């Protein structure tokens, strides 16, 4: 006798690799249109699913958690933090809430380096000067004519 796979409802599109793996492991109900689910759609999914995979744009309130089916055991947030989930209500119902800690570490480091480099190279100042210089040279604003050794 084969054991029934848990029903996992995913509220938004996830990376293809993640969705492919979910299809292999679970009875996955994916949001292939990537249209935000309404509160009532999420509440309905929680009545049926074993696992809900929301993102940070999905508000999971105490009222929605109260409507969850008895089989609901996990809200696995695909994102950093759980501020949009009523964790206290979930725990009272025996529903575990998880997230993906560290998911933004690399992106934050990338942005930090970009800001450091843009400050050191005065990129924001250059971005303001180029349109004005183009207009002064008779070109339409935003159209940079290139650089030459004489313009340096």
């Amino acid at each position: 006798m084969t054991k029934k796979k848990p029903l996992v409802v995913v509220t938004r599109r996830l990376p293809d690799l993640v969705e492919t793996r979910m299809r292999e492991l679970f009875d996955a109900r994916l949001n292939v249109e990537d249209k935000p689910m309404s509160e009532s759609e999420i509440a309905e999914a929680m009545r049926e699913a074993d696992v809900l995979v929301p993102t940070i744009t999905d508000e999971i309130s105490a009222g929605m958690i109260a409507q969850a089916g008895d089989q609901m055991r996990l809200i696995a947030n695909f994102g950093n933090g759980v501020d949009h989930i009523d964790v206290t209500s979930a725990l009272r119902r025996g529903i575990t809430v998880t997230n993906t800690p560290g998911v933004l570490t690399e992106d934050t480091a990338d942005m930090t380096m970009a800001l450091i480099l843009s400050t050191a190279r005065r990129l924001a100042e250059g971005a303001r000067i180029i349109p004005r210089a183009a207009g002064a040279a008779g070109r339409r604003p935003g159209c940079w004519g290139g650089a030459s050794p004489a313009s340096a």
Side-chain angles (χ1 to χ4, degrees):
M1 175 166 102
T2 38
K3 189 175 178 184
K4 183 182 151 212
K5 290 181 177 182
L7 173 60
V8 176
V9 176
V10 182
T11 63
R12 296 300 300 262
R13 283 294 313 256
L14 299 180
D16 288 336
L17 186 63
V18 174
E19 288 187 349
T20 299
R21 189 69 175 137
M22 284 186 138
R23 283 187 193 104
E24 293 170 1
L25 298 173
F26 310 109
D27 177 9
R29 189 181 302 159
L30 306 174
N31 185 346
V32 294
E33 295 174 7
D34 200 26
K35 182 182 137 269
M37 293 174 72
S38 68
E39 183 177 323
S40 62
E41 289 172 322
I42 294 172
E44 177 62 30
M46 292 176 74
R47 285 191 279 277
E48 301 172 7
D50 299 291
V51 177
L52 179 71
V53 181
T55 63
I56 61 168
T57 59
D58 300 310
E59 195 72 31
I60 311 299
S61 67
M64 294 167 74
I65 291 168
Q67 297 178 51
D70 291 336
Q71 77 291 340
M72 171 69 67
R73 289 287 162 241
L74 175 65
I75 299 173
N77 183 52
F78 192 84
N80 207 6
V82 292
D83 295 348
H84 57 291
I85 301 169
D86 190 322
V87 176
T88 304
S89 294
L91 294 177
R92 269 194 225 117
R93 288 281 317 270
I95 301 170
T96 302
V97 178
T98 64
N99 70 354
T100 49
V103 72
L104 298 175
T105 303
E106 214 171 289
D107 293 331
T108 303
D110 290 347
M111 290 302 294
T112 301
M113 287 307 301
L115 290 169
I116 289 169
L117 291 171
S118 70
T119 301
R121 298 294 183 193
R122 301 170 63 187
L123 292 179
E125 182 182 354
R128 284 190 302 271
I129 291 172
I130 288 172
R132 285 193 306 241
R139 293 184 299 275
R140 68 179 199 277
C143 180
W144 185 50
S148 72
S151 66

